[in-house]
C-alpha cells in the first residue's frame, strides 16, 4: 500500500480522501482511523487532532459524498433540461434526478452505503441544518416535485409526503441493485425505462 506524506497543512482533507479509498477498497467495517493516518504518513494522534473518532471521519466522507452527488445532480439536470419549458422541463428534471441518484448508487456503492448507513457522526439524510450537505438533495427533490405538481395543476400538494414517496422509490430501487437483488439495468434500458 502506498504511504503518503502530507506536510502541506491539509491533513483533514487528506484523511477524508484516504478514508474514502479505504472504504471503497474494503468497506466501512474494515476501515480504521489508524490505517488512514498510516496511509497519510502521520501518527494517529495527528489524525485525532482533526477527527475525534472513526465515526467523525466517516461522517466527513459521507458529507463529501452528499456534496458530490448533489453537484452531479445539478449538472445533469441542467444538461437534461436545456431548452425545455413547462411540463416537459419539470418531468425531465425529476426523471434526471432519479437517474443520477441510481447511477451514483450503483457506481459508488461503498460510498453510497456509507452515506445512508449507521455508524457515522453526522446529521444524516434527514439533517435539517441549512448548511447540511444532505439537505441539498432534499432541496433539489422538493424543487423538482413542486414544479411537476404545479405543471399538472396540483399546486399546494403535500410536498413532504410526495418527497418521501419519490425518494423511497428511487432509494429502494438503488439499494436493490446495490444489494444484488436486481440486476443493474443496461445503459440503454436504464434510459428507456427510468
Amino acid at each position: 500500500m502506498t504511504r503518503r506524506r502530507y506536510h502541506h497543512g491539509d491533513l483533514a482533507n487528506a484523511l477524508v480522501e484516504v478514508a474514502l479509498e479505504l472504504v471503497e477498497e474494503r468497506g466501512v467495517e474494515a476501515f480504521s482511523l489508524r490505517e488512514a493516518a498510516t496511509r497519510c504518513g502521520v501518527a494517529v494522534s495527528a489524525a485525532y487532532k482533526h477527527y475525534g473518532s472513526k465515526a467523525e471521519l466517516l461522517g466527513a466522507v459521507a458529507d463529501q459524498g452528499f456534496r458530490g452527488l448533489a453537484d452531479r445532480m445539478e449538472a445533469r439536470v441542467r444538461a437534461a433540461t436545456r431548452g425545455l419549458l413547462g411540463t416537459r422541463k419539470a418531468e425531465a428534471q425529476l426523471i434526471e434526478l432519479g437517474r443520477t441518484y441510481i447511477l451514483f448508487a450503483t457506481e459508488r456503492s461503498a460510498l453510497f452505503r456509507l452515506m445512508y448507513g449507521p455508524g457515522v457522526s453526522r446529521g444524516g439524510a434527514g439533517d435539517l441544518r441549512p448548511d447540511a450537505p444532505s439537505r441539498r438533495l432534499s432541496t433539489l427533490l422538493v424543487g423538482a416535485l413542486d414544479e411537476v405538481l404545479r405543471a399538472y395543476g396540483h399546486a399546494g400538494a403535500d410536498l413532504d409526503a410526495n418527497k418521501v414517496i419519490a425518494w423511497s422509490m428511487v432509494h429502494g430501487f438503488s439499494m436493490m441493485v446495490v444489494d444484488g437483488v436486481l440486476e443493474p439495468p443496461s445503459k440503454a434500458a436504464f434510459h428507456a425505462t427510468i
Side-chain angles (χ1 to χ4, degrees):
M1 292 195 197
T2 308
R3 184 176 169 95
R4 301 176 184 171
R5 298 215 171 260
Y6 291 94
H7 296 289
H8 51 71
D10 197 14
L11 181 57
N13 285 326
L15 287 164
V16 169
E17 180 184 317
V18 167
L20 176 56
E21 288 173 9
L22 289 168
V23 165
E24 288 182 334
E25 284 172 19
R26 292 192 232 131
V28 175
E29 298 78 23
F31 168 81
S32 76
L33 187 57
R34 179 174 300 282
E35 186 173 9
T38 300
R39 273 208 191 176
C40 286
V42 298
V44 72
S45 59
Y48 277 113
K49 289 180 182 175
H50 296 279
Y51 300 102
S53 66
K54 168 184 171 176
E56 195 175 315
L57 176 54
L58 289 173
V61 174
D63 282 350
Q64 181 178 328
F66 281 114
R67 280 190 293 276
L69 175 54
D71 290 346
R72 188 172 173 183
M73 284 177 153
E74 288 172 346
R76 290 182 61 119
V77 164
R78 272 193 306 275
T81 60
R82 194 170 289 121
L84 298 178
L85 298 170
T87 305
R88 288 188 65 213
K89 180 178 182 178
E91 288 175 348
Q93 180 175 323
L94 190 59
I95 289 167
E96 197 58 40
L97 287 172
R99 282 182 180 151
T100 305
Y101 190 91
I102 293 165
L103 284 172
F104 183 91
T106 57
E107 293 169 358
R108 308 288 305 272
S109 59
L111 176 57
F112 186 77
R113 284 181 191 280
L114 171 65
M115 289 162 57
Y116 289 100
V120 295
S121 177
R122 56 162 166 65
D127 192 338
L128 298 179
R129 292 174 296 142
D131 64 336
S134 58
R135 185 165 171 89
R136 279 178 62 204
L137 297 182
S138 181
T139 301
L140 288 168
L141 179 58
V142 167
L145 278 170
D146 187 40
E147 284 189 40
V148 167
L149 292 170
R150 273 190 283 124
Y152 283 99
H154 299 290
D158 185 351
L159 279 178
D160 285 340
N162 284 295
K163 176 184 85 171
V164 169
I165 291 166
W167 199 335
S168 296
M169 287 189 305
V170 172
H171 185 77
F173 181 84
S174 298
M175 288 307 300
M176 290 175 78
V177 172
V178 167
D179 288 340
V181 175
L182 294 175
E183 287 291 318
S186 69
K187 290 224 182 215
F190 183 77
H191 285 286
T193 60
I194 297 175

